[in-house]
Amino acid sequence: MKIKIVLLDLNHTTLGVHTNTVPLGIGLISRYVKEVVGEDVEIKMFKVAEKAMDVCNSWIPDIVGMAQYCWNSELNLFVAMHLKKINRDCLVVAGGPDLELFSSRKKVFLKDRDCIDICVEFDGEIPFAEIVKRRLSGESSVSIKANPGAGTYSLEPQSGELIQGTKPPPRLTSLDKVGAIYADGLFDGFLEDGFHPFLQTHRGCPFQCIFCHTSDRYYSKVIFQSPEIFEQDMNYLGKRFTGQDHVTLYLANTNMSLFKQDFEIARIISDTQEKYDWPRMINVNSGKDPEKLLEMLSIVNFPASIALQTNTSAVLQNIKRKNIPFDEYVVFQKDIMLKTKEDSETELILCLPGETKETFLKTLRDVLNSGVQNIGIYTLMKLKGTPISSEESIAHNKYVVRHRIVPRQFSIIDGIKIMDTEEVIVATKDMSFDDYISLRGLSFIVVTFFSSTELKPLKRFLYEYQMDLAEWVFSISDRLSDYPEIYKNYKAFLKETENELFLTREDLIEFYHNTENFEALYSGRLGDNLLRKYKLIVLSENYESCLRLVVSVARKIFHDRFEDYEKIDMMLSNLTSYLLTRNMKPFLLEENYSYHKQFHLNYDVPSWLVSSDPTLLLKDFNRTCNYSVTFTDDSIKRLKNIIKMNKDLTLSLQILYRDGTIREYWPQWVKN
C-alpha cells in the first residue's frame, strides 16, 4: 500500500493572500521524493488550510511536511495538530526558515510544539526523502524520531532530550534533479486557483549578512538549474498566461545578475516576453554588482535594487556586509536612469547593531541625493536561526525586542483564532525607542513622497537643477502640519506604529482575543503593514493635498536660490497639471473609465519625460502644445483585473502603490 504524504505551505486568506505564489518549496520536495522513491507514495500539496483539513478527514496522511515561514507557522501547526488527532502515528516533519538553529533553543522549541516529530535544519529535499524511504522500509515513526538522520533534529521519545543527526546536513548539487515542474503540470491546480508562478534557477548566497537566513556557510556554494529546463517551464507558462498582465513572475534567486548563469535565464525571460506578451511584472532580488546588473537590465527589465541597508562603515562591519563604494553607487543610479528608464530601488534597515539616529540620518541624506528613485525602510527583524537572533548578539547590543502580528496573517477556523506573529528590534544600546519612532515617522515621509512613482517627474526636475533632495524631503516633513488631512494620516501612522508592538507574544494574543480588537483586526483597521497601508491612504485619498505640499516646498527651494524664477514657476505649474492626472481615486472607486480631458501646456512635459536625450532639460521643451488625456483599452482591462492580483482589492492596491506599478494603470497623454 502506498504511503500518503501531505505537504503544507499554507496561507492565511482572511484579508487577501500574503504570498500569492505557488508553493515552490514543497513542490520541489514533492518532485524530488517522487524521483527518489518512485510511485510508492501519494503526495498532496496545500496552500489553503480549510481545503487541507477537508481532504485529509478522509484521505488520512502517514507523513505531514510543513514549510515554516514567519507568516504561516502557526497556521501550519494548527492543521498539523488536526491531522495528528486523526492519525496518532502520523509523522510530522517541519522545515523552512522559521525554525530554531541554535541548540540551546531547539529543545524548548520542540517541547512547546509537541505535534512536531522532526525538524529539518536547511534544504529539505534530501532529508525529507530519506525519512520517506525509512518509513517505506517499515520503520516506525517512533524509531525515525529516535534516530534523526543527517540535517535533522528531534526530541528523544523517552528522555525528551534533544538529539541531532550525526552527519553534516546534505544538499543537492544541482536544481536539475526535479526537472521542468511547471511543464509537466505539477502546479496546474494552484495556477488555476489564481496563484502566481514561482521559479528558482539558482539557490544559495556567497554573502554572510547576519540578519539573513542564507548567512550560514551551508548556503555559501550556489547551485543552479540548467537553462534548458527553465525554458521548458517558461514556454509552458508563457502560453498559459499570454497577455495576462496581472500575473507576476516570481523568482526565488537571491542575487539575480551576480552569476554568469543568470544571463541565459534573462534571455529566456526576454524571449518569453517577446513571444507571449508575458511576464510584464517580474519580482526578483537583484545582484549588487553595478556593471553586471546594468548588463542584465539591457536584456530584461525588472526593478533594479542594490540594497545598502546602511552606509555606516562600523555598522557594515557589525553585520558582516560590504557595500560597493558609494561613489560607484551614485554613478550606477545615473546610468540606470539613462540606460533603462526604469526606477531603481534600495533598502535601509532601522536598529542595525551600532547604528545611531545620527548615523542613520547621514546615510538617508546621502541616499536621497544619490539618484535612487525608491527607498524602502524596514524595521530589523529577529528572524529565527539568524546570527542576529543569537543570545550573544541580543545581550551585546541590548536589543529591545517586541512582538507584532505579521500583516494580515490571521484566520478563524472552527471558531479558533490563529495568528502568526513576528519579533522586531525597536531599540538598541545605540538607538533609543524614541529615536526609532522618530525615524519611523521620517520613513513615512520618504516612502510616501520620495518613493512615490507619481511624483517622479518632480524629483527629476529637482535633479536637473541640482537641488538637495534631502532638503526637499525634510522640508516636507516640517510642513506636514500645514496640511491637516495628511498630518492626520501621519499622526495615525505614528500612533499605530507604537500600538502594534507588544512585550510578549502572549500579550499580543490576549489583546486580539478581545472581541472588539479582533473585529478591528478582521476589518483591516489594525494589523496591516503600516507603511504600505498609509502610503495607499495618503496617495489615493489625499493626492491633491500631497501635490500641493510637495510642489509648494519645491517652489520655495527654487525661490530661495534663484532671483528670476518666473519660468521655473511656469514649469512647476505645468508639472502640477500633468501630475494631477495621476490621481487614481475617482477611477478606482467609481470605475469611471470614460475620463477624457484636454490640457494646454507651455512646456511639453510628456515629450520631456520620454526624451532619449539625457542632455535635454524641461526648460528646453518651452513650446505650447495641447494634449488629450484618456484611458487606453489596455489600461481599462488592467484596472478590471486588479483584484485578481492578491484576491483582495485593498491589498492589491497597497502593493501597486508600494512598488510603483500603479503607473501601468494611469490615463495616457496623447498630443493633439
PDB file of all heavy atoms in Angstrom, residues 574-605:
ATOM      1  N   ASN A 574       3.024  73.677 -14.973  1.00  0.00           N
ATOM      2  CA  ASN A 574       2.756  72.659 -15.998  1.00  0.00           C
ATOM      3  C   ASN A 574       2.967  71.250 -15.445  1.00  0.00           C
ATOM      4  O   ASN A 574       2.193  70.331 -15.747  1.00  0.00           O
ATOM      5  CB  ASN A 574       3.649  72.882 -17.204  1.00  0.00           C
ATOM      6  CG  ASN A 574       3.145  73.968 -18.133  1.00  0.00           C
ATOM      7  OD1 ASN A 574       3.501  74.027 -19.305  1.00  0.00           O
ATOM      8  ND2 ASN A 574       2.312  74.871 -17.626  1.00  0.00           N
ATOM      9  N   LEU A 575       3.978  71.092 -14.622  1.00  0.00           N
ATOM     10  CA  LEU A 575       4.214  69.790 -13.985  1.00  0.00           C
ATOM     11  C   LEU A 575       3.039  69.404 -13.091  1.00  0.00           C
ATOM     12  O   LEU A 575       2.603  68.247 -13.081  1.00  0.00           O
ATOM     13  CB  LEU A 575       5.495  69.834 -13.153  1.00  0.00           C
ATOM     14  CG  LEU A 575       6.791  69.374 -13.814  1.00  0.00           C
ATOM     15  CD1 LEU A 575       7.972  69.647 -12.904  1.00  0.00           C
ATOM     16  CD2 LEU A 575       6.720  67.885 -14.147  1.00  0.00           C
ATOM     17  N   THR A 576       2.516  70.376 -12.368  1.00  0.00           N
ATOM     18  CA  THR A 576       1.380  70.108 -11.484  1.00  0.00           C
ATOM     19  C   THR A 576       0.165  69.641 -12.283  1.00  0.00           C
ATOM     20  O   THR A 576      -0.515  68.677 -11.906  1.00  0.00           O
ATOM     21  CB  THR A 576       1.034  71.360 -10.669  1.00  0.00           C
ATOM     22  OG1 THR A 576       2.168  71.755  -9.900  1.00  0.00           O
ATOM     23  CG2 THR A 576      -0.138  71.102  -9.743  1.00  0.00           C
ATOM     24  N   SER A 577      -0.103  70.313 -13.404  1.00  0.00           N
ATOM     25  CA  SER A 577      -1.225  69.898 -14.258  1.00  0.00           C
ATOM     26  C   SER A 577      -1.034  68.464 -14.740  1.00  0.00           C
ATOM     27  O   SER A 577      -1.976  67.657 -14.754  1.00  0.00           O
ATOM     28  CB  SER A 577      -1.344  70.838 -15.465  1.00  0.00           C
ATOM     29  OG  SER A 577      -1.682  72.141 -15.049  1.00  0.00           O
ATOM     30  N   TYR A 578       0.193  68.158 -15.121  1.00  0.00           N
ATOM     31  CA  TYR A 578       0.489  66.813 -15.608  1.00  0.00           C
ATOM     32  C   TYR A 578       0.289  65.776 -14.500  1.00  0.00           C
ATOM     33  O   TYR A 578      -0.343  64.727 -14.700  1.00  0.00           O
ATOM     34  CB  TYR A 578       1.929  66.768 -16.123  1.00  0.00           C
ATOM     35  CG  TYR A 578       2.358  65.413 -16.627  1.00  0.00           C
ATOM     36  CD1 TYR A 578       2.028  64.993 -17.917  1.00  0.00           C
ATOM     37  CD2 TYR A 578       3.075  64.545 -15.824  1.00  0.00           C
ATOM     38  CE1 TYR A 578       2.409  63.745 -18.382  1.00  0.00           C
ATOM     39  CE2 TYR A 578       3.464  63.288 -16.278  1.00  0.00           C
ATOM     40  CZ  TYR A 578       3.128  62.896 -17.559  1.00  0.00           C
ATOM     41  OH  TYR A 578       3.500  61.657 -18.007  1.00  0.00           O
ATOM     42  N   LEU A 579       0.797  66.082 -13.310  1.00  0.00           N
ATOM     43  CA  LEU A 579       0.761  65.110 -12.219  1.00  0.00           C
ATOM     44  C   LEU A 579      -0.641  64.925 -11.644  1.00  0.00           C
ATOM     45  O   LEU A 579      -0.933  63.876 -11.064  1.00  0.00           O
ATOM     46  CB  LEU A 579       1.730  65.534 -11.109  1.00  0.00           C
ATOM     47  CG  LEU A 579       3.211  65.532 -11.501  1.00  0.00           C
ATOM     48  CD1 LEU A 579       4.069  66.061 -10.359  1.00  0.00           C
ATOM     49  CD2 LEU A 579       3.668  64.128 -11.897  1.00  0.00           C
ATOM     50  N   LEU A 580      -1.493  65.906 -11.799  1.00  0.00           N
ATOM     51  CA  LEU A 580      -2.861  65.770 -11.283  1.00  0.00           C
ATOM     52  C   LEU A 580      -3.603  64.598 -11.910  1.00  0.00           C
ATOM     53  O   LEU A 580      -4.493  64.009 -11.290  1.00  0.00           O
ATOM     54  CB  LEU A 580      -3.643  67.066 -11.520  1.00  0.00           C
ATOM     55  CG  LEU A 580      -3.499  68.149 -10.450  1.00  0.00           C
ATOM     56  CD1 LEU A 580      -4.118  69.454 -10.924  1.00  0.00           C
ATOM     57  CD2 LEU A 580      -4.132  67.691  -9.133  1.00  0.00           C
ATOM     58  N   THR A 581      -3.255  64.232 -13.137  1.00  0.00           N
ATOM     59  CA  THR A 581      -3.961  63.134 -13.813  1.00  0.00           C
ATOM     60  C   THR A 581      -3.534  61.765 -13.289  1.00  0.00           C
ATOM     61  O   THR A 581      -4.039  60.749 -13.748  1.00  0.00           O
ATOM     62  CB  THR A 581      -3.735  63.193 -15.337  1.00  0.00           C
ATOM     63  OG1 THR A 581      -2.349  63.018 -15.633  1.00  0.00           O
ATOM     64  CG2 THR A 581      -4.210  64.516 -15.902  1.00  0.00           C
ATOM     65  N   ARG A 582      -2.601  61.761 -12.330  1.00  0.00           N
ATOM     66  CA  ARG A 582      -2.201  60.501 -11.707  1.00  0.00           C
ATOM     67  C   ARG A 582      -3.003  60.219 -10.433  1.00  0.00           C
ATOM     68  O   ARG A 582      -2.670  59.279  -9.694  1.00  0.00           O
ATOM     69  CB  ARG A 582      -0.702  60.527 -11.413  1.00  0.00           C
ATOM     70  CG  ARG A 582       0.124  60.622 -12.688  1.00  0.00           C
ATOM     71  CD  ARG A 582       1.617  60.600 -12.449  1.00  0.00           C
ATOM     72  NE  ARG A 582       2.327  60.494 -13.726  1.00  0.00           N
ATOM     73  CZ  ARG A 582       3.644  60.349 -13.842  1.00  0.00           C
ATOM     74  NH1 ARG A 582       4.412  60.316 -12.762  1.00  0.00           N
ATOM     75  NH2 ARG A 582       4.196  60.251 -15.033  1.00  0.00           N
ATOM     76  N   ASN A 583      -3.986  61.031 -10.176  1.00  0.00           N
ATOM     77  CA  ASN A 583      -4.884  60.792  -9.048  1.00  0.00           C
ATOM     78  C   ASN A 583      -5.874  59.700  -9.440  1.00  0.00           C
ATOM     79  O   ASN A 583      -6.808  59.929 -10.208  1.00  0.00           O
ATOM     80  CB  ASN A 583      -5.618  62.081  -8.689  1.00  0.00           C
ATOM     81  CG  ASN A 583      -6.547  61.897  -7.493  1.00  0.00           C
ATOM     82  OD1 ASN A 583      -6.529  60.870  -6.823  1.00  0.00           O
ATOM     83  ND2 ASN A 583      -7.359  62.906  -7.238  1.00  0.00           N
ATOM     84  N   MET A 584      -5.677  58.500  -8.900  1.00  0.00           N
ATOM     85  CA  MET A 584      -6.465  57.347  -9.350  1.00  0.00           C
ATOM     86  C   MET A 584      -7.740  57.115  -8.547  1.00  0.00           C
ATOM     87  O   MET A 584      -8.547  56.257  -8.895  1.00  0.00           O
ATOM     88  CB  MET A 584      -5.598  56.084  -9.288  1.00  0.00           C
ATOM     89  CG  MET A 584      -4.441  56.084 -10.268  1.00  0.00           C
ATOM     90  SD  MET A 584      -5.020  56.080 -11.984  1.00  0.00           S
ATOM     91  CE  MET A 584      -5.716  54.432 -12.101  1.00  0.00           C
ATOM     92  N   LYS A 585      -7.948  57.873  -7.483  1.00  0.00           N
ATOM     93  CA  LYS A 585      -9.100  57.604  -6.620  1.00  0.00           C
ATOM     94  C   LYS A 585     -10.434  57.594  -7.370  1.00  0.00           C
ATOM     95  O   LYS A 585     -11.229  56.658  -7.207  1.00  0.00           O
ATOM     96  CB  LYS A 585      -9.143  58.622  -5.478  1.00  0.00           C
ATOM     97  CG  LYS A 585     -10.316  58.383  -4.520  1.00  0.00           C
ATOM     98  CD  LYS A 585     -10.381  59.421  -3.420  1.00  0.00           C
ATOM     99  CE  LYS A 585     -11.584  59.178  -2.511  1.00  0.00           C
ATOM    100  NZ  LYS A 585     -11.677  60.198  -1.444  1.00  0.00           N
ATOM    101  N   PRO A 586     -10.736  58.598  -8.203  1.00  0.00           N
ATOM    102  CA  PRO A 586     -12.051  58.587  -8.877  1.00  0.00           C
ATOM    103  C   PRO A 586     -12.270  57.352  -9.750  1.00  0.00           C
ATOM    104  O   PRO A 586     -13.379  56.834  -9.839  1.00  0.00           O
ATOM    105  CB  PRO A 586     -12.015  59.863  -9.733  1.00  0.00           C
ATOM    106  CG  PRO A 586     -10.974  60.723  -9.115  1.00  0.00           C
ATOM    107  CD  PRO A 586      -9.951  59.787  -8.566  1.00  0.00           C
ATOM    108  N   PHE A 587     -11.202  56.870 -10.357  1.00  0.00           N
ATOM    109  CA  PHE A 587     -11.342  55.737 -11.271  1.00  0.00           C
ATOM    110  C   PHE A 587     -11.444  54.417 -10.511  1.00  0.00           C
ATOM    111  O   PHE A 587     -12.219  53.529 -10.877  1.00  0.00           O
ATOM    112  CB  PHE A 587     -10.164  55.704 -12.236  1.00  0.00           C
ATOM    113  CG  PHE A 587      -9.801  57.073 -12.760  1.00  0.00           C
ATOM    114  CD1 PHE A 587      -8.549  57.603 -12.554  1.00  0.00           C
ATOM    115  CD2 PHE A 587     -10.734  57.837 -13.438  1.00  0.00           C
ATOM    116  CE1 PHE A 587      -8.217  58.865 -13.014  1.00  0.00           C
ATOM    117  CE2 PHE A 587     -10.416  59.097 -13.906  1.00  0.00           C
ATOM    118  CZ  PHE A 587      -9.157  59.619 -13.695  1.00  0.00           C
ATOM    119  N   LEU A 588     -10.668  54.297  -9.420  1.00  0.00           N
ATOM    120  CA  LEU A 588     -10.666  53.050  -8.670  1.00  0.00           C
ATOM    121  C   LEU A 588     -11.960  52.864  -7.895  1.00  0.00           C
ATOM    122  O   LEU A 588     -12.466  51.749  -7.774  1.00  0.00           O
ATOM    123  CB  LEU A 588      -9.473  53.031  -7.708  1.00  0.00           C
ATOM    124  CG  LEU A 588      -8.095  53.017  -8.384  1.00  0.00           C
ATOM    125  CD1 LEU A 588      -7.003  53.224  -7.348  1.00  0.00           C
ATOM    126  CD2 LEU A 588      -7.878  51.704  -9.124  1.00  0.00           C
ATOM    127  N   LEU A 589     -12.505  53.957  -7.355  1.00  0.00           N
ATOM    128  CA  LEU A 589     -13.706  53.834  -6.535  1.00  0.00           C
ATOM    129  C   LEU A 589     -14.985  53.878  -7.356  1.00  0.00           C
ATOM    130  O   LEU A 589     -15.962  53.200  -7.051  1.00  0.00           O
ATOM    131  CB  LEU A 589     -13.721  54.942  -5.478  1.00  0.00           C
ATOM    132  CG  LEU A 589     -12.580  54.901  -4.457  1.00  0.00           C
ATOM    133  CD1 LEU A 589     -12.769  55.993  -3.412  1.00  0.00           C
ATOM    134  CD2 LEU A 589     -12.502  53.539  -3.776  1.00  0.00           C
ATOM    135  N   GLU A 590     -14.977  54.695  -8.412  1.00  0.00           N
ATOM    136  CA  GLU A 590     -16.199  54.878  -9.189  1.00  0.00           C
ATOM    137  C   GLU A 590     -16.192  54.090 -10.499  1.00  0.00           C
ATOM    138  O   GLU A 590     -17.195  54.042 -11.200  1.00  0.00           O
ATOM    139  CB  GLU A 590     -16.378  56.371  -9.494  1.00  0.00           C
ATOM    140  CG  GLU A 590     -16.476  57.233  -8.242  1.00  0.00           C
ATOM    141  CD  GLU A 590     -16.361  58.717  -8.551  1.00  0.00           C
ATOM    142  OE1 GLU A 590     -16.551  59.096  -9.726  1.00  0.00           O
ATOM    143  OE2 GLU A 590     -16.069  59.495  -7.630  1.00  0.00           O
ATOM    144  N   GLU A 591     -15.044  53.468 -10.808  1.00  0.00           N
ATOM    145  CA  GLU A 591     -14.886  52.723 -12.061  1.00  0.00           C
ATOM    146  C   GLU A 591     -15.325  53.584 -13.249  1.00  0.00           C
ATOM    147  O   GLU A 591     -15.998  53.115 -14.174  1.00  0.00           O
ATOM    148  CB  GLU A 591     -15.663  51.404 -12.017  1.00  0.00           C
ATOM    149  CG  GLU A 591     -15.155  50.454 -10.943  1.00  0.00           C
ATOM    150  CD  GLU A 591     -15.810  49.094 -10.999  1.00  0.00           C
ATOM    151  OE1 GLU A 591     -16.697  48.891 -11.852  1.00  0.00           O
ATOM    152  OE2 GLU A 591     -15.427  48.222 -10.197  1.00  0.00           O
ATOM    153  N   ASN A 592     -14.917  54.854 -13.189  1.00  0.00           N
ATOM    154  CA  ASN A 592     -15.241  55.798 -14.260  1.00  0.00           C
ATOM    155  C   ASN A 592     -14.100  55.829 -15.269  1.00  0.00           C
ATOM    156  O   ASN A 592     -13.157  56.608 -15.145  1.00  0.00           O
ATOM    157  CB  ASN A 592     -15.475  57.196 -13.664  1.00  0.00           C
ATOM    158  CG  ASN A 592     -15.728  58.237 -14.741  1.00  0.00           C
ATOM    159  OD1 ASN A 592     -16.088  57.897 -15.860  1.00  0.00           O
ATOM    160  ND2 ASN A 592     -15.522  59.500 -14.397  1.00  0.00           N
ATOM    161  N   TYR A 593     -14.184  54.954 -16.255  1.00  0.00           N
ATOM    162  CA  TYR A 593     -13.089  54.821 -17.219  1.00  0.00           C
ATOM    163  C   TYR A 593     -13.314  55.663 -18.480  1.00  0.00           C
ATOM    164  O   TYR A 593     -12.515  55.603 -19.417  1.00  0.00           O
ATOM    165  CB  TYR A 593     -12.908  53.351 -17.613  1.00  0.00           C
ATOM    166  CG  TYR A 593     -12.750  52.423 -16.422  1.00  0.00           C
ATOM    167  CD1 TYR A 593     -13.403  51.190 -16.385  1.00  0.00           C
ATOM    168  CD2 TYR A 593     -11.962  52.786 -15.333  1.00  0.00           C
ATOM    169  CE1 TYR A 593     -13.269  50.335 -15.299  1.00  0.00           C
ATOM    170  CE2 TYR A 593     -11.826  51.938 -14.236  1.00  0.00           C
ATOM    171  CZ  TYR A 593     -12.482  50.724 -14.227  1.00  0.00           C
ATOM    172  OH  TYR A 593     -12.348  49.893 -13.157  1.00  0.00           O
ATOM    173  N   SER A 594     -14.394  56.445 -18.506  1.00  0.00           N
ATOM    174  CA  SER A 594     -14.667  57.279 -19.682  1.00  0.00           C
ATOM    175  C   SER A 594     -14.010  58.649 -19.558  1.00  0.00           C
ATOM    176  O   SER A 594     -14.307  59.558 -20.323  1.00  0.00           O
ATOM    177  CB  SER A 594     -16.176  57.444 -19.862  1.00  0.00           C
ATOM    178  OG  SER A 594     -16.755  58.054 -18.716  1.00  0.00           O
ATOM    179  N   TYR A 595     -13.109  58.770 -18.605  1.00  0.00           N
ATOM    180  CA  TYR A 595     -12.415  60.039 -18.355  1.00  0.00           C
ATOM    181  C   TYR A 595     -11.757  60.559 -19.637  1.00  0.00           C
ATOM    182  O   TYR A 595     -11.067  59.828 -20.341  1.00  0.00           O
ATOM    183  CB  TYR A 595     -11.363  59.802 -17.272  1.00  0.00           C
ATOM    184  CG  TYR A 595     -10.434  60.963 -16.988  1.00  0.00           C
ATOM    185  CD1 TYR A 595     -10.793  61.954 -16.090  1.00  0.00           C
ATOM    186  CD2 TYR A 595      -9.183  61.042 -17.599  1.00  0.00           C
ATOM    187  CE1 TYR A 595      -9.930  63.004 -15.806  1.00  0.00           C
ATOM    188  CE2 TYR A 595      -8.323  62.084 -17.324  1.00  0.00           C
ATOM    189  CZ  TYR A 595      -8.704  63.064 -16.430  1.00  0.00           C
ATOM    190  OH  TYR A 595      -7.850  64.103 -16.150  1.00  0.00           O
ATOM    191  N   HIS A 596     -11.964  61.840 -19.908  1.00  0.00           N
ATOM    192  CA  HIS A 596     -11.341  62.463 -21.077  1.00  0.00           C
ATOM    193  C   HIS A 596     -11.184  63.948 -20.772  1.00  0.00           C
ATOM    194  O   HIS A 596     -12.151  64.631 -20.452  1.00  0.00           O
ATOM    195  CB  HIS A 596     -12.206  62.276 -22.326  1.00  0.00           C
ATOM    196  CG  HIS A 596     -11.539  62.761 -23.579  1.00  0.00           C
ATOM    197  ND1 HIS A 596     -10.718  61.966 -24.340  1.00  0.00           N
ATOM    198  CD2 HIS A 596     -11.554  63.975 -24.192  1.00  0.00           C
ATOM    199  CE1 HIS A 596     -10.271  62.666 -25.375  1.00  0.00           C
ATOM    200  NE2 HIS A 596     -10.756  63.892 -25.302  1.00  0.00           N
ATOM    201  N   LYS A 597      -9.937  64.433 -20.852  1.00  0.00           N
ATOM    202  CA  LYS A 597      -9.682  65.825 -20.513  1.00  0.00           C
ATOM    203  C   LYS A 597      -8.649  66.414 -21.459  1.00  0.00           C
ATOM    204  O   LYS A 597      -7.749  65.708 -21.933  1.00  0.00           O
ATOM    205  CB  LYS A 597      -9.201  65.934 -19.061  1.00  0.00           C
ATOM    206  CG  LYS A 597      -9.334  67.331 -18.468  1.00  0.00           C
ATOM    207  CD  LYS A 597      -9.212  67.290 -16.958  1.00  0.00           C
ATOM    208  CE  LYS A 597      -9.472  68.666 -16.368  1.00  0.00           C
ATOM    209  NZ  LYS A 597      -9.400  68.661 -14.884  1.00  0.00           N
ATOM    210  N   GLN A 598      -8.763  67.730 -21.708  1.00  0.00           N
ATOM    211  CA  GLN A 598      -7.835  68.453 -22.578  1.00  0.00           C
ATOM    212  C   GLN A 598      -6.917  69.335 -21.728  1.00  0.00           C
ATOM    213  O   GLN A 598      -7.362  69.938 -20.746  1.00  0.00           O
ATOM    214  CB  GLN A 598      -8.616  69.338 -23.563  1.00  0.00           C
ATOM    215  CG  GLN A 598      -9.574  68.589 -24.472  1.00  0.00           C
ATOM    216  CD  GLN A 598      -8.852  67.743 -25.496  1.00  0.00           C
ATOM    217  OE1 GLN A 598      -7.783  68.099 -25.975  1.00  0.00           O
ATOM    218  NE2 GLN A 598      -9.449  66.601 -25.837  1.00  0.00           N
ATOM    219  N   PHE A 599      -5.638  69.407 -22.142  1.00  0.00           N
ATOM    220  CA  PHE A 599      -4.676  70.253 -21.435  1.00  0.00           C
ATOM    221  C   PHE A 599      -3.899  71.108 -22.433  1.00  0.00           C
ATOM    222  O   PHE A 599      -3.500  70.622 -23.502  1.00  0.00           O
ATOM    223  CB  PHE A 599      -3.691  69.395 -20.631  1.00  0.00           C
ATOM    224  CG  PHE A 599      -4.283  68.807 -19.379  1.00  0.00           C
ATOM    225  CD1 PHE A 599      -4.922  67.573 -19.412  1.00  0.00           C
ATOM    226  CD2 PHE A 599      -4.207  69.491 -18.184  1.00  0.00           C
ATOM    227  CE1 PHE A 599      -5.471  67.031 -18.262  1.00  0.00           C
ATOM    228  CE2 PHE A 599      -4.752  68.956 -17.026  1.00  0.00           C
ATOM    229  CZ  PHE A 599      -5.385  67.725 -17.065  1.00  0.00           C
ATOM    230  N   HIS A 600      -3.669  72.342 -22.050  1.00  0.00           N
ATOM    231  CA  HIS A 600      -2.807  73.254 -22.805  1.00  0.00           C
ATOM    232  C   HIS A 600      -1.565  73.512 -21.951  1.00  0.00           C
ATOM    233  O   HIS A 600      -1.675  73.964 -20.802  1.00  0.00           O
ATOM    234  CB  HIS A 600      -3.526  74.570 -23.104  1.00  0.00           C
ATOM    235  CG  HIS A 600      -2.647  75.578 -23.763  1.00  0.00           C
ATOM    236  ND1 HIS A 600      -2.398  75.573 -25.124  1.00  0.00           N
ATOM    237  CD2 HIS A 600      -1.941  76.627 -23.248  1.00  0.00           C
ATOM    238  CE1 HIS A 600      -1.579  76.573 -25.411  1.00  0.00           C
ATOM    239  NE2 HIS A 600      -1.295  77.229 -24.292  1.00  0.00           N
ATOM    240  N   LEU A 601      -0.382  73.223 -22.480  1.00  0.00           N
ATOM    241  CA  LEU A 601       0.872  73.375 -21.752  1.00  0.00           C
ATOM    242  C   LEU A 601       1.798  74.362 -22.452  1.00  0.00           C
ATOM    243  O   LEU A 601       1.821  74.430 -23.683  1.00  0.00           O
ATOM    244  CB  LEU A 601       1.591  72.020 -21.627  1.00  0.00           C
ATOM    245  CG  LEU A 601       0.835  70.870 -20.944  1.00  0.00           C
ATOM    246  CD1 LEU A 601       1.679  69.593 -21.001  1.00  0.00           C
ATOM    247  CD2 LEU A 601       0.475  71.208 -19.504  1.00  0.00           C
ATOM    248  N   ASN A 602       2.549  75.092 -21.653  1.00  0.00           N
ATOM    249  CA  ASN A 602       3.595  75.956 -22.192  1.00  0.00           C
ATOM    250  C   ASN A 602       4.931  75.226 -22.303  1.00  0.00           C
ATOM    251  O   ASN A 602       5.811  75.635 -23.065  1.00  0.00           O
ATOM    252  CB  ASN A 602       3.763  77.195 -21.317  1.00  0.00           C
ATOM    253  CG  ASN A 602       2.483  77.998 -21.210  1.00  0.00           C
ATOM    254  OD1 ASN A 602       1.750  77.887 -20.231  1.00  0.00           O
ATOM    255  ND2 ASN A 602       2.195  78.790 -22.243  1.00  0.00           N
ATOM    256  N   TYR A 603       5.066  74.187 -21.501  1.00  0.00           N
ATOM    257  CA  TYR A 603       6.255  73.328 -21.566  1.00  0.00           C
ATOM    258  C   TYR A 603       5.766  71.912 -21.834  1.00  0.00           C
ATOM    259  O   TYR A 603       4.865  71.410 -21.144  1.00  0.00           O
ATOM    260  CB  TYR A 603       7.059  73.383 -20.261  1.00  0.00           C
ATOM    261  CG  TYR A 603       7.808  74.678 -20.078  1.00  0.00           C
ATOM    262  CD1 TYR A 603       7.176  75.795 -19.533  1.00  0.00           C
ATOM    263  CD2 TYR A 603       9.140  74.786 -20.472  1.00  0.00           C
ATOM    264  CE1 TYR A 603       7.852  76.993 -19.368  1.00  0.00           C
ATOM    265  CE2 TYR A 603       9.830  75.979 -20.315  1.00  0.00           C
ATOM    266  CZ  TYR A 603       9.186  77.073 -19.765  1.00  0.00           C
ATOM    267  OH  TYR A 603       9.877  78.252 -19.616  1.00  0.00           O
ATOM    268  N   ASP A 604       6.375  71.256 -22.811  1.00  0.00           N
ATOM    269  CA  ASP A 604       5.911  69.941 -23.255  1.00  0.00           C
ATOM    270  C   ASP A 604       6.429  68.860 -22.294  1.00  0.00           C
ATOM    271  O   ASP A 604       7.417  68.169 -22.570  1.00  0.00           O
ATOM    272  CB  ASP A 604       6.393  69.685 -24.687  1.00  0.00           C
ATOM    273  CG  ASP A 604       5.692  68.486 -25.312  1.00  0.00           C
ATOM    274  OD1 ASP A 604       5.016  67.742 -24.577  1.00  0.00           O
ATOM    275  OD2 ASP A 604       5.824  68.311 -26.539  1.00  0.00           O
ATOM    276  N   VAL A 605       5.756  68.743 -21.171  1.00  0.00           N
ATOM    277  CA  VAL A 605       6.180  67.801 -20.127  1.00  0.00           C
ATOM    278  C   VAL A 605       6.218  66.356 -20.628  1.00  0.00           C
ATOM    279  O   VAL A 605       7.208  65.638 -20.410  1.00  0.00           O
ATOM    280  CB  VAL A 605       5.272  67.931 -18.882  1.00  0.00           C
ATOM    281  CG1 VAL A 605       5.638  66.869 -17.844  1.00  0.00           C
ATOM    282  CG2 VAL A 605       5.384  69.326 -18.283  1.00  0.00           C
TER     283      VAL A 605
END
